[in-house]
Amino acid sequence: MIRVLLADDEHLIRGAVAALLGLEADLEVVAEVGRGDEVAAAVAAHDPDVAVLDIEMPGLDGLTAAERLTAAGARCAVCILTSFGRPGYLRRAMAAGVRGFVAKDAPTQELAAAIRKIHAGGRYLDAELAAGAMAAGDNPLTEREREILRLTGAGAETARVAAALHLSEGTVRNYLSSAMAKLGEPTRLAAVRAAEQMGWL
């Protein structure tokens, strides 16, 4: 029996996935959580073989939760279940040691197959998501550019960004100009949106 933990903030979807996986003879959903910051405690308490994590959750996103499980040496394999086919997400997931990446609109049988495969030590990547990630190439933004775009996207003015990062306003503007050029966008907010759509922030 493969023990599964489900983490998704959408109660209806989580319940439906749990019910459908429960119909599989070799799968048992041993825990369900609705927040990313509840994942580590649930893994420690229930010792699942596979943790199926949504990306967009309150408290902590699924990718960060996966990174923390890997860093903590958790025994369970991680499968990301997401409606966001952003290339940067797939690359970050792979770097975090995630073994499965499945689209939320995939049939339950596909998720069940992914769980079985990664439990057996393999990898399972949604073909369309993988193709999109390869076509998009590597994230061109530096960590500092990403940091500044994240703050800008959250509504921070240049002066606030500069103060928060202990930089001059001119330096912040230079980083923003560089990010805009790399992304081919005319404004800082357009650059933020483009980077978010790629999963690069």
Side-chain angles (χ1 to χ4, degrees):
M1 187 66 78
I2 302 171
R3 297 164 57 81
V4 179
L5 174 143
L6 288 180
D8 193 313
D9 64 321
E10 297 180 64
H11 184 76
L12 201 60
I13 290 175
R14 190 174 74 240
V17 171
L20 290 167
L21 288 180
L23 298 175
E24 303 288 328
D26 58 340
L27 303 180
E28 179 188 8
V29 177
V30 296
E32 298 177 44
V33 297
R35 295 176 55 90
D37 52 7
E38 296 173 340
V39 169
V43 166
H46 299 279
D47 190 31
D49 298 307
V50 177
V52 178
L53 311 179
D54 185 22
I55 287 185
E56 299 289 329
M57 290 187 287
L60 200 67
D61 67 83
L63 291 175
T64 304
E67 288 165 350
R68 292 187 182 179
L69 287 176
T70 300
R75 181 186 71 82
C76 65
V78 176
C79 179
I80 293 291
L81 183 64
T82 184
S83 54
F84 298 97
R86 297 173 179 165
Y89 283 174
L90 179 56
R91 288 176 176 271
R92 187 174 158 204
M94 299 299 287
V98 169
R99 303 195 67 80
F101 207 88
V102 180
K104 252 187 184 176
D105 59 0
T108 310
Q109 291 84 356
E110 185 177 334
L111 176 58
I115 290 169
R116 291 184 186 106
K117 187 167 185 180
I118 67 175
H119 178 252
R123 289 188 184 278
Y124 191 99
L125 300 179
D126 178 275
E128 284 189 34
L129 295 176
M134 290 176 67
D138 290 328
N139 182 348
L141 302 171
T142 66
E143 180 54 42
R144 183 63 89 185
E145 288 166 348
R146 291 197 299 271
E147 199 172 21
I148 288 170
L149 285 176
R150 277 192 290 266
L151 289 168
T152 301
E157 298 294 328
T158 303
R160 278 182 52 209
V161 174
L165 300 179
H166 308 291
L167 299 171
S168 72
E169 291 184 41
T171 300
V172 169
R173 282 192 287 272
N174 288 342
Y175 277 119
L176 284 169
S177 294
S178 173
M180 288 158 52
K182 288 177 179 179
L183 297 170
E185 297 295 343
T187 68
R188 57 186 62 183
L189 290 180
V192 169
R193 282 194 299 273
E196 285 176 343
Q197 286 168 359
M198 295 301 289
W200 286 340
L201 292 189

